[in-house]
Amino acid sequence: MSEVILTMKDIDKSFPGVHALDHVNFEVKRGEVHALMGENGAGKSTLMKVLTGIYQKDSGSITYKGKEVEFHNTREAQDAGVVIVHQELNMVGDLTVAQNIFIGREPKKGFRIDDKKMIEDSKKLFRELNIDIDPKEKMHNLTVGKQQMCEIAKAISHKAEVIIFDEPSAALTEKEIADLFVIIRDLREKGLGIVYISHRMDEIKVITDRVTVMRDGGYVGTLVTAESSKEDIINMMVGRVIYEDPKQHSMVAPDAPVVLKVEHLNAGKMVQDVSFELRRGEILGFSGLMGAGRTETARALFGADPKQSGKISVMGKDGQLHEVTINSPQDAVKYGIGYLSEDRRRYGCVVQKSCIENTTLATMEEFTSGLLINSAKEKEVTERYIKELATKTPTADQLVVNLSGGNQQKVVIAKWLTRNSDILIFDEPTRGIDVGAKNEIYKLMNKLAAEGKSIIMISSEMTEVLRMSDRIIIMCEGKVTGNIDISEATQENIMNKATRNID
Amino acid sequence: MEKLKHNPIVKKLGLNRILLVGILILMFVVFRAALGSKFPIADSIKSTLNYVYFLGFLSLGVTFVIATGGIDFSIGPVMFCCALISGYCMTSYGVPCILSMVICILVGTCFGIFNGWLVSYMSVPAFIVSMASMNIAKGLASVFTKTQSVSWPLGNDPENGWFRNIVSYNGFPVGLVIFLGVAVLCGIVLYRTKPGRYILCLGSNSEAVRLSGVNTKKWRMLAYIICGLMAGIAALFFVATYTTVQPGYGDQYNNEAIAGCVMGGTSMAGGLASIGGTVIGVCIISLLQQGIMAFGLGKGQQMIITGIIVIVAVYADVSARRRKN
Amino acid sequence: MTKKKKSILSDQRFIVLLVVIALTAVFSVMSKEFRQYNTLLSLLDFSYYDLLMAIGVTFPLITAGVDLSIGTGMVCYALIGGTLIRSYGCPVIVAMLVCVLLGVLFGAINGSLIGIMNLPPFLATLCTCMITRGIGSLCSATPWPGLTQEGGWFHSIYKLTIGTGRSADRYPIGFLWMVLMVLLMEFVLNHTKFGRYTIAIGSNKEAAALSGINVKFYHVMVYVVCGLFVGLAATAYAAVTPTVQPGTGAGLEMDAIGGVFVGGVAASGGYGSILGTFVGIYVIMLLKTGLPYIGLQANWQQIITGIVLIVAVLIDILKEKKGMQ
């Protein structure tokens, strides 16, 4: 059972401005679960997208079942038996479960689609996988976990020989993960090659046979899981010490006043009874797994999404906490809160506009004299921030779309600094930003905190949370499951809280 | 071409706009050469300008809406509705001319408010709002005028004839001055004021602007109000040159106005608008209509040609954007 | 996840059916003339082409697109067909085939512009709307053969007339075809690849493409099918309109699209039903036919259709908002 089914050799891929994959090697054997690990942005998903034909490689070779192949689209890969279960679900919500599973290859009976057979086949598939889903239910009525299961069922139904799971557990509950592992073991028994992408060390130890680690788009090495310790793998992932050591103790003065107090915030399923306090000069880390409700909390707090209930108090000019009503981002901005989204291109900046227009976007009132915009003042302020934040841009008139991720982030920071916001919510501040620029963003955040700004930092990277935060709030399934000082924080106790619900 | 692009003068004016002016001049020369005396220079310019006036205001208005990434193709019928209602007030109820003109602009503005409210506060897709308000405008005009056509006073009307001076006064093209003045004003509003900045930015990325604490709904609505207001002004210039309006018409001007706007370099995806381009684009469309008529072709050919031009212009915009990404 | 039991009362189609019944009842009570068989006949007569267009345009609307060229297109094909009969002595059956083929052709043009060239649907079809209207107005007003003339047999497809003059018995057998057509297309929508992929494109085009569906092909086909039905509608239109007038047809798309929205198609795409369209159209037809009987002039129809469209879409949007919370 050790025949190699798939080999990727020297895979290279560049996007404008980013060298995403740098001569990466990877192989999968029949009957093995092979973990692909690395931090966010290490290139795992890109590698798998190259494999399944979503992206085309620049150079290198892929050998599948002894023959060199190149898939031009997912269809070709599927037909050959290489199937990916995406992290973002690719489901047509308005169709039923069975219709989704067989989309693109519906069994036909004359002119009509044989829905009966589809439903029967789906039922059989679900029985095999031991999952209980009604194939006639519309997709958008299912929970995320169930949708995930359908996606897996769909992959298996393709007579796949290699299945790639791209962070399948991110949205699943404990029980669903256990079910998933039963399925994966079963598939392994049948001699399939399985690629398993995940961040969770525990899972890797439990389910996988070998681990390949990637870092910054490059290949680091491959280990046999049973023979290596957690630390070995982490060391490979983190590699050269580019991070400072974790913060040992909080940098916040013991008498620093509370500037933001959130009590019993409720907003949909993802934010349930969330309460916390933020003090002046504090970096408050929000840790948790994907889908734990951190971004949702931030958006509800910021007024970007509606909330059902909750009390928010913000420190006023008089140094006292006042209860405020935040129903829209406008209100939040008025009270000095700024939000830096994880998805800068969509929610952060207007990429087709210049640095100037983005920097002054939240503060137009200050740049209008009479009816007209004072362009000279705009330019002056923008250039000041470009200098102060060391933003790399040829001129202030440059369109933001032409800047790198790190510099786009700096433009967004400049926007809130121009507004003089005292509370900044950084949602995944370094996602998609390369290593060098990451450090700059970290330094900047520390500087801002030292100057008396208060920062909420949502981050999925454990090292980032441990390095930056003064205090850490841990969320799981929409609830706060932990609130610990940095001096007590360890990877293990954060992970424990992030995977366990309070009740 | 590359060299030309980096020439400072060309850069300042914009290569597209220079090319458009070139097209405009070329078209004029071709028409003259092909038609000779059937295309008298002075008269042709005059009739083109008459067309430019009302179409230009429509096009300037819709430029704001398209800049937000929306669309309004009710403007033609709305323009007619404005002219009919206010004209009917004057002819049948004896409302003074000046007041009728105000009513005319107000009716347009009301449509703008209606459209803008539905699109931005109720999130109804813009094309559905356009369809509905196109019908409502036509229906309202028919109901109000009892399906009669309405004629505004002629120039020799002692009491109310003065209103035609908005187009020309003793041969001096007042209309041109007003139109260019309004165009400059639009340019200032769009590029040099806060509302204009917001309109352009939200057309490019509405969510990012909202998350910057801007009331995007309000500013989106404003674009539609400006568009409606412009339709009201356009109506005045329409009746001042063509006198009579009939209920149930006006659709064709939607396309021509949008054509002028898109040709001028305003992107249908929103966020990018050129007032100068719109002005030249409108001139091209207007000249084209005159040319087509001078060739002895009718409304049918006009519509076909304009339709094809819009498709080509929008496709050029779509494919240029795709190449960029 | 508790599965909600679907009650028939939560089905918009059923509610709309109740509206149809209620409207019929109200008009019948309020007006004696409305109760006559002839009213029913003419209501049905004029509903066929609307319904056929509506069935066609349901497909683009499910993909979150639209086809604004259906009204002018239909008139254009009917004009061309009529001209072929009158001026070139074409047999009626050939003219009818030409109508259908033209519909398919323009559908393919619309589909290519939208599905392959990625133009915004409302803009592409706004242009083809103008173009078909322009082509139509190149023809002259042409009556298709009357019932008693040679080739008049085609009237019998929609309305069987036995006997002559006032005493003739007339049966609206067209309604039967319509019911069959609705059932057929409901089947196509729910049980064929074409229908399923139409829904998939409207619901999540990206996912559909990743599942290996030839999205471009099916996107084009959506408009081709729409065009096919507009072609059929042209024959129904010719059967009820004594003389097809060039330059008309703008606004007819409103009735059809309005009906589809009343029938419960989702404004954001992904859901629609032909049965819904069927009942939706009769709400519009009842309003159009019935309102004059209770004293509202015909001009109000346009306003009311506009308002009905907005209200139908608003209901859908509010429903979706509620569902999200």
Side-chain angles (χ1 to χ4, degrees), chain C residues 184-199:
Chain C
L184 175 72
M185 291 323 280
E186 182 78 19
F187 173 82
V188 167
L189 180 62
N190 289 319
H191 297 288
T192 67
K193 279 194 175 192
F194 168 73
R196 190 139 305 165
Y197 296 163
T198 304
I199 297 172

PDB file of all heavy atoms in Angstrom, chain C residues 184-199:
ATOM      1  N   LEU C 184     -45.439  22.450 -19.600  1.00  0.00           N
ATOM      2  CA  LEU C 184     -44.217  22.006 -20.269  1.00  0.00           C
ATOM      3  C   LEU C 184     -42.993  22.750 -19.723  1.00  0.00           C
ATOM      4  O   LEU C 184     -41.982  22.141 -19.362  1.00  0.00           O
ATOM      5  CB  LEU C 184     -44.342  22.251 -21.781  1.00  0.00           C
ATOM      6  CG  LEU C 184     -43.067  21.945 -22.579  1.00  0.00           C
ATOM      7  CD1 LEU C 184     -42.834  20.449 -22.645  1.00  0.00           C
ATOM      8  CD2 LEU C 184     -43.136  22.541 -23.980  1.00  0.00           C
ATOM      9  N   MET C 185     -43.103  24.081 -19.631  1.00  0.00           N
ATOM     10  CA  MET C 185     -41.939  24.853 -19.208  1.00  0.00           C
ATOM     11  C   MET C 185     -41.657  24.682 -17.716  1.00  0.00           C
ATOM     12  O   MET C 185     -40.509  24.757 -17.290  1.00  0.00           O
ATOM     13  CB  MET C 185     -42.112  26.340 -19.560  1.00  0.00           C
ATOM     14  CG  MET C 185     -42.070  26.630 -21.050  1.00  0.00           C
ATOM     15  SD  MET C 185     -40.886  25.642 -21.995  1.00  0.00           S
ATOM     16  CE  MET C 185     -39.362  26.517 -21.659  1.00  0.00           C
ATOM     17  N   GLU C 186     -42.714  24.457 -16.940  1.00  0.00           N
ATOM     18  CA  GLU C 186     -42.498  24.155 -15.519  1.00  0.00           C
ATOM     19  C   GLU C 186     -41.677  22.865 -15.405  1.00  0.00           C
ATOM     20  O   GLU C 186     -40.768  22.759 -14.586  1.00  0.00           O
ATOM     21  CB  GLU C 186     -43.853  24.019 -14.810  1.00  0.00           C
ATOM     22  CG  GLU C 186     -43.766  23.743 -13.321  1.00  0.00           C
ATOM     23  CD  GLU C 186     -43.437  24.981 -12.482  1.00  0.00           C
ATOM     24  OE1 GLU C 186     -43.619  26.096 -12.988  1.00  0.00           O
ATOM     25  OE2 GLU C 186     -42.985  24.812 -11.347  1.00  0.00           O
ATOM     26  N   PHE C 187     -42.020  21.929 -16.283  1.00  0.00           N
ATOM     27  CA  PHE C 187     -41.263  20.674 -16.324  1.00  0.00           C
ATOM     28  C   PHE C 187     -39.814  20.939 -16.732  1.00  0.00           C
ATOM     29  O   PHE C 187     -38.877  20.455 -16.110  1.00  0.00           O
ATOM     30  CB  PHE C 187     -41.933  19.706 -17.310  1.00  0.00           C
ATOM     31  CG  PHE C 187     -41.146  18.449 -17.542  1.00  0.00           C
ATOM     32  CD1 PHE C 187     -41.222  17.401 -16.647  1.00  0.00           C
ATOM     33  CD2 PHE C 187     -40.318  18.332 -18.640  1.00  0.00           C
ATOM     34  CE1 PHE C 187     -40.482  16.247 -16.852  1.00  0.00           C
ATOM     35  CE2 PHE C 187     -39.576  17.187 -18.849  1.00  0.00           C
ATOM     36  CZ  PHE C 187     -39.666  16.141 -17.952  1.00  0.00           C
ATOM     37  N   VAL C 188     -39.651  21.738 -17.792  1.00  0.00           N
ATOM     38  CA  VAL C 188     -38.296  22.050 -18.270  1.00  0.00           C
ATOM     39  C   VAL C 188     -37.484  22.708 -17.163  1.00  0.00           C
ATOM     40  O   VAL C 188     -36.325  22.385 -16.941  1.00  0.00           O
ATOM     41  CB  VAL C 188     -38.370  22.974 -19.509  1.00  0.00           C
ATOM     42  CG1 VAL C 188     -36.995  23.565 -19.822  1.00  0.00           C
ATOM     43  CG2 VAL C 188     -38.886  22.204 -20.705  1.00  0.00           C
ATOM     44  N   LEU C 189     -38.125  23.615 -16.440  1.00  0.00           N
ATOM     45  CA  LEU C 189     -37.403  24.343 -15.392  1.00  0.00           C
ATOM     46  C   LEU C 189     -36.961  23.414 -14.268  1.00  0.00           C
ATOM     47  O   LEU C 189     -35.878  23.551 -13.722  1.00  0.00           O
ATOM     48  CB  LEU C 189     -38.295  25.463 -14.846  1.00  0.00           C
ATOM     49  CG  LEU C 189     -37.689  26.333 -13.742  1.00  0.00           C
ATOM     50  CD1 LEU C 189     -36.458  27.058 -14.250  1.00  0.00           C
ATOM     51  CD2 LEU C 189     -38.705  27.346 -13.230  1.00  0.00           C
ATOM     52  N   ASN C 190     -37.812  22.449 -13.936  1.00  0.00           N
ATOM     53  CA  ASN C 190     -37.518  21.648 -12.752  1.00  0.00           C
ATOM     54  C   ASN C 190     -36.889  20.292 -13.042  1.00  0.00           C
ATOM     55  O   ASN C 190     -36.298  19.691 -12.156  1.00  0.00           O
ATOM     56  CB  ASN C 190     -38.792  21.431 -11.938  1.00  0.00           C
ATOM     57  CG  ASN C 190     -39.225  22.715 -11.279  1.00  0.00           C
ATOM     58  OD1 ASN C 190     -38.405  23.462 -10.771  1.00  0.00           O
ATOM     59  ND2 ASN C 190     -40.521  22.998 -11.332  1.00  0.00           N
ATOM     60  N   HIS C 191     -37.026  19.816 -14.256  1.00  0.00           N
ATOM     61  CA  HIS C 191     -36.591  18.443 -14.485  1.00  0.00           C
ATOM     62  C   HIS C 191     -35.637  18.265 -15.653  1.00  0.00           C
ATOM     63  O   HIS C 191     -35.432  17.151 -16.106  1.00  0.00           O
ATOM     64  CB  HIS C 191     -37.803  17.535 -14.678  1.00  0.00           C
ATOM     65  CG  HIS C 191     -38.671  17.492 -13.456  1.00  0.00           C
ATOM     66  ND1 HIS C 191     -38.293  16.845 -12.311  1.00  0.00           N
ATOM     67  CD2 HIS C 191     -39.864  18.059 -13.204  1.00  0.00           C
ATOM     68  CE1 HIS C 191     -39.235  16.996 -11.399  1.00  0.00           C
ATOM     69  NE2 HIS C 191     -40.193  17.736 -11.907  1.00  0.00           N
ATOM     70  N   THR C 192     -35.100  19.357 -16.178  1.00  0.00           N
ATOM     71  CA  THR C 192     -34.101  19.167 -17.227  1.00  0.00           C
ATOM     72  C   THR C 192     -32.827  19.892 -16.833  1.00  0.00           C
ATOM     73  O   THR C 192     -32.828  20.764 -15.965  1.00  0.00           O
ATOM     74  CB  THR C 192     -34.565  19.721 -18.593  1.00  0.00           C
ATOM     75  OG1 THR C 192     -34.660  21.138 -18.483  1.00  0.00           O
ATOM     76  CG2 THR C 192     -35.890  19.135 -19.015  1.00  0.00           C
ATOM     77  N   LYS C 193     -31.752  19.513 -17.517  1.00  0.00           N
ATOM     78  CA  LYS C 193     -30.467  20.146 -17.253  1.00  0.00           C
ATOM     79  C   LYS C 193     -30.554  21.646 -17.477  1.00  0.00           C
ATOM     80  O   LYS C 193     -30.053  22.430 -16.691  1.00  0.00           O
ATOM     81  CB  LYS C 193     -29.403  19.593 -18.195  1.00  0.00           C
ATOM     82  CG  LYS C 193     -28.851  18.277 -17.759  1.00  0.00           C
ATOM     83  CD  LYS C 193     -27.593  17.969 -18.532  1.00  0.00           C
ATOM     84  CE  LYS C 193     -26.993  16.696 -17.976  1.00  0.00           C
ATOM     85  NZ  LYS C 193     -25.647  16.474 -18.454  1.00  0.00           N
ATOM     86  N   PHE C 194     -31.210  22.014 -18.572  1.00  0.00           N
ATOM     87  CA  PHE C 194     -31.303  23.437 -18.893  1.00  0.00           C
ATOM     88  C   PHE C 194     -31.914  24.224 -17.734  1.00  0.00           C
ATOM     89  O   PHE C 194     -31.375  25.235 -17.286  1.00  0.00           O
ATOM     90  CB  PHE C 194     -32.129  23.633 -20.169  1.00  0.00           C
ATOM     91  CG  PHE C 194     -32.518  25.059 -20.405  1.00  0.00           C
ATOM     92  CD1 PHE C 194     -31.573  25.983 -20.814  1.00  0.00           C
ATOM     93  CD2 PHE C 194     -33.824  25.492 -20.191  1.00  0.00           C
ATOM     94  CE1 PHE C 194     -31.920  27.305 -21.011  1.00  0.00           C
ATOM     95  CE2 PHE C 194     -34.168  26.808 -20.389  1.00  0.00           C
ATOM     96  CZ  PHE C 194     -33.211  27.720 -20.803  1.00  0.00           C
ATOM     97  N   GLY C 195     -33.035  23.721 -17.226  1.00  0.00           N
ATOM     98  CA  GLY C 195     -33.709  24.412 -16.134  1.00  0.00           C
ATOM     99  C   GLY C 195     -32.858  24.460 -14.885  1.00  0.00           C
ATOM    100  O   GLY C 195     -32.720  25.493 -14.238  1.00  0.00           O
ATOM    101  N   ARG C 196     -32.275  23.319 -14.589  1.00  0.00           N
ATOM    102  CA  ARG C 196     -31.476  23.243 -13.364  1.00  0.00           C
ATOM    103  C   ARG C 196     -30.291  24.199 -13.416  1.00  0.00           C
ATOM    104  O   ARG C 196     -29.973  24.876 -12.463  1.00  0.00           O
ATOM    105  CB  ARG C 196     -30.980  21.818 -13.187  1.00  0.00           C
ATOM    106  CG  ARG C 196     -30.367  21.620 -11.845  1.00  0.00           C
ATOM    107  CD  ARG C 196     -30.748  20.314 -11.254  1.00  0.00           C
ATOM    108  NE  ARG C 196     -32.164  20.110 -11.171  1.00  0.00           N
ATOM    109  CZ  ARG C 196     -32.715  18.916 -10.941  1.00  0.00           C
ATOM    110  NH1 ARG C 196     -31.949  17.865 -10.815  1.00  0.00           N
ATOM    111  NH2 ARG C 196     -34.016  18.801 -10.855  1.00  0.00           N
ATOM    112  N   TYR C 197     -29.642  24.262 -14.572  1.00  0.00           N
ATOM    113  CA  TYR C 197     -28.477  25.136 -14.677  1.00  0.00           C
ATOM    114  C   TYR C 197     -28.894  26.601 -14.719  1.00  0.00           C
ATOM    115  O   TYR C 197     -28.134  27.481 -14.313  1.00  0.00           O
ATOM    116  CB  TYR C 197     -27.644  24.764 -15.906  1.00  0.00           C
ATOM    117  CG  TYR C 197     -27.061  23.370 -15.825  1.00  0.00           C
ATOM    118  CD1 TYR C 197     -26.581  22.719 -16.945  1.00  0.00           C
ATOM    119  CD2 TYR C 197     -27.000  22.700 -14.595  1.00  0.00           C
ATOM    120  CE1 TYR C 197     -26.056  21.442 -16.868  1.00  0.00           C
ATOM    121  CE2 TYR C 197     -26.481  21.426 -14.508  1.00  0.00           C
ATOM    122  CZ  TYR C 197     -26.016  20.799 -15.648  1.00  0.00           C
ATOM    123  OH  TYR C 197     -25.510  19.545 -15.559  1.00  0.00           O
ATOM    124  N   THR C 198     -30.112  26.868 -15.217  1.00  0.00           N
ATOM    125  CA  THR C 198     -30.613  28.246 -15.153  1.00  0.00           C
ATOM    126  C   THR C 198     -30.678  28.693 -13.700  1.00  0.00           C
ATOM    127  O   THR C 198     -30.219  29.780 -13.339  1.00  0.00           O
ATOM    128  CB  THR C 198     -32.021  28.326 -15.778  1.00  0.00           C
ATOM    129  OG1 THR C 198     -31.968  27.817 -17.096  1.00  0.00           O
ATOM    130  CG2 THR C 198     -32.522  29.758 -15.800  1.00  0.00           C
ATOM    131  N   ILE C 199     -31.234  27.820 -12.851  1.00  0.00           N
ATOM    132  CA  ILE C 199     -31.320  28.143 -11.426  1.00  0.00           C
ATOM    133  C   ILE C 199     -29.922  28.268 -10.833  1.00  0.00           C
ATOM    134  O   ILE C 199     -29.631  29.196 -10.073  1.00  0.00           O
ATOM    135  CB  ILE C 199     -32.122  27.056 -10.671  1.00  0.00           C
ATOM    136  CG1 ILE C 199     -33.553  27.012 -11.201  1.00  0.00           C
ATOM    137  CG2 ILE C 199     -32.114  27.322  -9.179  1.00  0.00           C
ATOM    138  CD1 ILE C 199     -34.364  25.855 -10.659  1.00  0.00           C
TER     139      ILE C 199
END
